[in-house]
Amino acid sequence: VYKRQNSYRREYNEKYSGLNDICFVNEEDGWLVGDSGLIFITHNGGNSWIEYDSNITNDLIQVQFTSEQIGWLLDNDGFLYKSNDGGITWEILTSPFFKNINDFYFINESIGWVITNSPYPTLLKTQDGGNQWTIQLSFPSYTSSEKFKDIYFLNVTHGWVLIQGANNFTPYNLIFYTRNSGITWEDFSISNNLQKIFFINPFLGLSLIH
């Protein structure tokens, strides 16, 4: 473990150019992940960062913490990991349903969702922090051109899942929306090629368009 000071910022940026995601749970505590298992932790708002050995050789593409201690990682092979000690150590989460996870989202330390497109688009939910998972949405009849792309939950009850497909080479999006924690889902189509979705409240949302 070692710390890099801001006076070495240029050297730091050149050496660690493959940084992929960042997460803060408050003004002080944050995590930064990147290629070849890189993980950095700050406890002073980003003024300095400590590098830790994650013991993961794959590229880390997504990180999320819901408290100062509990967090999850996703690597580029679709494996999901969990930490119970603030990101110092990680254990891989397994499930018979997991096939190359594309994205995940946790609303608190217990409730979370993952999406996968292998062998077909599937949304799974956990209510115990990732130990057990159940299928909430599954589309075995979808074609290979239709894939889950993004997931976002505003709170425990309101959530959205984005699927991209194509009709005669024309991109379209399907958005599935739940207002009851995934018990039922509504879907609607959007013609734009959306990449990411984000909602401020159940009625107002934003999206990144490709």
Side-chain angles (χ1 to χ4, degrees), residues 69-201:
Q69 297 298 316
I70 308 298
W72 297 264
L73 285 174
L74 181 65
D75 72 16
N76 62 328
D77 279 342
F79 291 105
L80 187 66
Y81 304 79
K82 183 179 181 180
S83 176
N84 293 299
D85 58 9
I88 308 303
T89 61
W90 297 88
E91 63 173 322
I92 193 168
L93 298 178
T94 60
S95 168
F97 304 117
F98 285 178
K99 299 288 184 181
N100 299 324
I101 297 170
N102 294 81
D103 198 3
F104 71 91
Y105 195 91
F106 279 81
I107 199 69
N108 55 41
E109 295 182 7
S110 300
I111 300 176
W113 296 262
V114 299
I115 53 177
T116 176
N117 292 305
S118 178
Y120 43 77
T122 304
L123 170 71
L124 303 111
K125 179 181 180 181
T126 181
Q127 298 188 80
D128 61 5
N131 295 315
Q132 297 180 331
W133 297 84
T134 57
I135 295 176
Q136 284 212 311
L137 284 176
S138 182
F139 303 98
S141 63
Y142 275 27
T143 67
S144 60
S145 64
E146 295 166 307
K147 299 181 181 299
F148 275 133
K149 292 190 66 178
D150 196 24
I151 181 173
Y152 183 80
F153 270 77
L154 181 68
N155 48 42
V156 173
T157 56
H158 295 274
W160 296 261
V161 181
L162 174 65
I163 288 183
Q164 182 181 350
N167 282 329
N168 297 323
F169 305 102
T170 300
Y172 72 91
N173 292 119
L174 287 174
I175 294 183
F176 287 82
Y177 167 59
T178 181
R179 63 184 76 209
N180 54 18
S181 302
I183 297 174
T184 59
W185 294 82
E186 307 167 44
D187 65 273
F188 51 95
S189 178
I190 297 177
S191 59
N192 291 326
N193 189 3
L194 307 183
Q195 298 296 311
K196 302 287 289 184
I197 51 177
F198 175 82
F199 281 79
I200 300 172
N201 59 51

Side-chain angles (χ1 to χ4, degrees), residues 27-88:
E27 293 182 358
E28 302 295 328
D29 299 296
W31 296 262
L32 182 64
V33 299
D35 294 348
S36 302
L38 285 177
I39 180 167
F40 299 89
I41 303 174
T42 181
H43 296 296
N44 57 15
N47 291 315
S48 61
W49 295 82
I50 301 173
E51 181 183 354
Y52 288 89
D53 183 2
S54 66
N55 290 319
I56 304 170
T57 57
N58 289 341
D59 297 343
L60 304 179
I61 60 174
Q62 187 180 357
V63 59
Q64 185 189 4
F65 275 75
T66 56
S67 71
E68 296 175 10
Q69 297 298 316
I70 308 298
W72 297 264
L73 285 174
L74 181 65
D75 72 16
N76 62 328
D77 279 342
F79 291 105
L80 187 66
Y81 304 79
K82 183 179 181 180
S83 176
N84 293 299
D85 58 9
I88 308 303

